[in-house]
Amino acid sequence: MASTLLITGASTGIGAATARAAVTAGWNVALVARSADKLSDLEAELGESAMAVAADVTDLSAMEQAVVRAVDRFGALDAAFANAGRGLKTPGTENADPEDIRGLIDLNIMGVLHTARATLPELRKTRGHLLLTGSAAGRKHISGSIYGATKWFVHGYGGNMADEMREWGGRCTVIAPGMVDTPFFDEPKPDKLHPEDIADAVVFALTRPARADVREVYVMPTG
Ligand SMILES: NC(=O)c1ccc[n+]([C@@H]2O[C@H](COP(=O)([O-])OP(=O)(O)OC[C@H]3O[C@@H](n4cnc5c(N)ncnc54)[C@H](OP(=O)(O)O)[C@@H]3O)[C@@H](O)[C@H]2O)c1
């Protein structure tokens, strides 16, 4: 039976590319994001191996329901990719809108925690794998970056979860991309990484033997 991966932020960018790469590698995918229309287009493209589940990761009960639906459909959950995230409209502690900062923290931190909390009971059953999208901005200091600080949380939490999950044979990986050409940016970045480059990194971590936990994959554009 095929393994199943739940992906948040699956409607565009890195999450959508990862869904395509995972299905090509033989996985089932549960696609989570808010845009039901984009998710159902991707579901139609990927066929029987994919299920669209529109949900907001900042809503814990919606995430719990998404996990129930994925397990009902595919029988188990082997991996979860907490990937949904965003930046600030205007950066900087003094210039950013406090409500925008709150929304950023709700998504980039609470959304990751909700995804982990909702999926861990199922991952424990399969000795499964949790993957988180960190960032190059979560590995080095970037002047005044609140977005980067949310990714430092992801890197710290990912390492802590790797230690917790190994107690029962589970694995945790932080995927740390540099700049990727996705709708994260208003302008195209064709000379930077492509979302498929990060999707390949996720599939690499997922497909290592169970004895090997790839703790971090750090991918920077060459140019
Ligand atoms: N692009 C880069 O250079 C880069 C570099 C390092 C790290 N990252 C990280 O990579 C991750 C994916 O970003 P991306 O570059 O692929 O950008 P993207 O194309 O804008 O993707 C963001 C995804 O998150 C989803 N999302 C946003 N709010 C959500 C919510 N409340 N609930 C559920 N889903 C939500 C979006 O879908 P809906 O709007 O449909 O909900 C979308 O699918 C993010 O964590 C980002 O911080 C990106």
Side-chain angles (χ1 to χ4, degrees):
M1 198 174 76
S3 298
T4 299
L5 169 67
L6 179 146
I7 304 170
T8 74
S11 60
T12 56
I14 292 167
T18 300
R20 293 185 177 99
V23 167
T24 301
W27 288 65
N28 297 320
V29 288
L31 310 168
V32 178
R34 295 166 304 174
S35 306
D37 51 343
K38 289 182 193 154
L39 290 183
S40 59
D41 287 352
L42 187 56
E43 181 189 55
E45 176 193 325
L46 296 176
E48 281 301 300
S49 307
M51 178 178 62
V53 194
D56 187 325
V57 299
T58 67
D59 177 347
L60 176 58
S61 70
M63 276 311 295
E64 289 168 341
Q65 285 163 29
V67 171
V68 168
R69 286 189 54 198
V71 172
D72 276 354
R73 164 74 182 270
F74 294 122
L77 194 63
D78 301 281
F81 183 28
N83 166 72
R86 69 166 175 89
L88 283 173
K89 292 185 187 83
T90 306
T93 302
E94 292 161 287
N95 294 329
D97 173 356
E99 279 312 307
D100 194 26
I101 296 174
R102 192 181 301 279
L104 175 91
I105 289 171
D106 228 18
L107 178 60
N108 292 14
I109 296 180
M110 292 309 298
V112 169
L113 292 171
H114 290 163
T115 303
R117 185 178 168 115
T119 57
L120 276 167
E122 294 300 329
L123 296 180
R124 201 175 273 110
K125 292 178 195 165
T126 54
R127 296 190 179 176
H129 197 159
L130 177 66
L131 302 101
L132 316 175
T133 305
S135 174
R139 301 179 90 261
K140 62 186 177 196
H141 293 288
I142 294 177
S143 177
S145 177
I146 299 170
Y147 167 78
T150 66
K151 294 299 186 181
W152 279 78
F153 169 86
V154 172
H155 282 248
Y157 178 67
N160 293 352
M161 288 310 294
D163 272 4
E164 179 179 316
M165 292 175 73
R166 75 194 291 261
E167 291 167 12
W168 43 264
R171 301 184 284 177
C172 186
T173 301
V174 178
I175 305 291
M179 191 176 280
V180 190
D181 183 18
T182 72
F184 185 91
F185 299 105
D186 296 332
E187 301 294 322
K189 309 278 180 194
D191 56 337
K192 299 302 179 187
L193 294 164
H194 293 188
E196 294 75 20
D197 302 326
I198 307 309
D200 285 349
V202 174
V203 171
F204 170 80
L206 276 175
T207 54
R208 290 316 88 202
R211 63 179 176 269
D213 182 10
V214 177
R215 294 287 182 99
E216 184 185 42
V217 186
Y218 179 29
V219 187
M220 287 295 286
T222 309

